Amino acid sequence: MPEGEPAVPRSVPIALGPHSTPLLERAITAGGGTVTELGAARALVWDGDPAGFPQRLPDGIEWVQLFSAGVEEWFDTDVFRNHPGVVFTSAAGAFARSVAEHALMMLLSGVRYLPEHVLARSWRQREFFPHIGTLRGATVAVVGAGGIGRELIALLHPFGARVIAVNRSGTPVSLPGVVETVPAHRLPEVWPRTDHVVVAAPATPETRHLVGKAELAHLKPTSWVVNVARGSLIDTDALVQALRDGVIGGAALDVTDPEPLPDGHPLWDLPNAVVTPHDSNPPHLRNAAFADRVRENVARFVSGRDPLARIDVVAGY
């Protein structure tokens, strides 16, 4: 190499499993890596679930990129315990735009009384008028102000909503429309002060049934609860009872507990419940977004920068 010319970074060997796809191969190459066998690799991009993941990775593996944004099922395995020296990253934030758009759609459908309109088979204008609301001037609690939550906050701002952002640390969320940031341990203060709730927090033992009977009782009879996180964050039995009794206005769920939601479950028949089958992030959008995340994190790995969405084994996400 002529003197004075900058060194060209060498391509980094990266394995792809449990199977290879042209989309991810191109993403790895675009980030500065070379697709190789696991035994010769320094990193692994894993686009499958925990089943089939190697019990023991080769000693040369320094970093693993996982496909899922939520990693609670990985904590039920020995993967992290078996590889204490390996950096694991999730896809948290990679799918935020698609999921946030879905959350906004679900919230608007409830506020504008769309479920009842869809079910109607006659002109019931005067009956519907009192129930139709607006996001303008309404307070929306976004519980879990991470990637999805921040994207949703940006979408809510043009509608004139006031947002209470809830995150683990209470670190201020500096986005237009956010009137307050509340740490998770102060969440009980939020329920009586909000008009609607969107749940976008990670699923951990601490967040199981984050929204239960007591929390629902503090909301307004016109409040809508939207869940685009994991079904376990809401107590399903308590929610069904609250919907039946008119404790809240309604619920819109892209995730349920149990999931899939079985035929004949009360949530399918309640007029103030909207259920979508965990399709806020459909495959054709999800695969492209994951490829973008792989390219970015490979580029960061090649250049020695911190990766996006490093998994905190202690925190559980």
Side-chain angles (χ1 to χ4, degrees):
M1 178 185 300
E3 186 176 350
E5 287 192 11
V8 178
R10 297 180 61 188
S11 183
V12 173
I14 296 176
L16 181 57
H19 50 266
S20 182
T21 65
L23 181 65
L24 292 180
E25 289 177 1
R26 291 194 296 270
I28 290 171
T29 301
T34 299
V35 179
T36 188
E37 297 297 324
L38 183 60
R42 289 180 53 197
L44 169 63
V45 174
W46 186 261
D47 70 338
D49 56 29
F53 192 86
Q55 288 293 316
R56 291 288 180 181
L57 291 169
D59 292 340
I61 297 295
E62 304 167 36
W63 161 59
V64 175
Q65 172 69 56
L66 300 179
F67 176 77
S68 54
V71 293
E72 62 275 9
E73 60 183 353
W74 288 85
F75 282 90
D76 295 330
T77 72
D78 293 326
V79 168
F80 300 142
R81 288 186 292 272
N82 287 346
H83 306 99
V86 176
V87 172
F88 284 84
T89 55
S90 73
F95 315 127
R97 291 182 180 180
S98 175
V99 178
E101 183 180 272
H102 196 88
L104 177 63
M105 178 271 295
M106 298 183 89
L107 178 59
L108 274 172
S109 74
V111 171
R112 302 297 296 185
Y113 212 55
L114 186 60
E116 289 285 352
H117 282 84
V118 171
L119 291 172
R121 293 296 179 266
S122 63
W123 194 266
R124 297 160 57 192
Q125 186 185 65
R126 293 185 182 278
E127 179 184 340
F128 284 178
F129 273 164
H131 303 283
I132 298 173
T134 178
L135 288 179
R136 185 161 301 280
T139 299
V140 179
V142 177
V143 182
I148 295 170
R150 287 172 176 268
E151 287 287 345
L152 176 60
I153 290 168
L155 293 176
L156 286 169
H157 179 59
F159 289 89
R162 296 159 41 89
V163 173
I164 298 176
V166 181
N167 58 26
R168 188 181 181 199
S169 64
T171 301
V173 176
S174 300
L175 290 174
V178 176
V179 296
E180 185 179 359
T181 303
V182 175
H185 71 271
R186 288 177 48 203
L187 187 54
E189 303 172 17
V190 173
W191 307 119
R193 298 194 291 115
T194 191
D195 294 300
H196 309 288
V197 178
V198 178
V199 181
T204 67
E206 290 72 28
T207 59
R208 177 172 172 77
H209 289 183
L210 185 73
V211 181
K213 181 178 180 180
E215 291 74 25
L216 293 166
H218 285 298
L219 297 174
K220 298 178 175 65
T222 53
S223 294
W224 273 75
V225 175
V226 177
N227 189 5
V228 290
R230 288 291 187 268
S232 63
L233 275 72
I234 295 181
D235 182 337
T236 302
D237 291 341
L239 178 65
V240 167
Q241 195 61 50
L243 292 170
R244 283 173 170 164
D245 294 345
V247 173
I248 62 172
L253 313 170
D254 187 50
V255 289
T256 59
D257 183 18
E259 186 174 308
L261 192 68
D263 293 351
H265 193 280
L267 285 171
W268 289 121
D269 297 322
L270 288 167
N272 53 350
V274 177
V275 179
T276 56
H278 206 151
D279 61 0
S280 62
N281 188 33
H284 63 286
L285 300 180
R286 181 170 65 242
N287 293 338
F290 181 60
D292 287 341
R293 171 57 58 85
V294 168
R295 178 191 53 75
E296 174 62 26
N297 266 354
V298 167
R300 287 170 176 258
F301 182 69
V302 168
S303 62
R305 291 177 290 153
D306 290 338
L308 298 174
R310 180 170 180 163
I311 296 172
D312 185 332
V313 177
V314 175
Y317 59 91

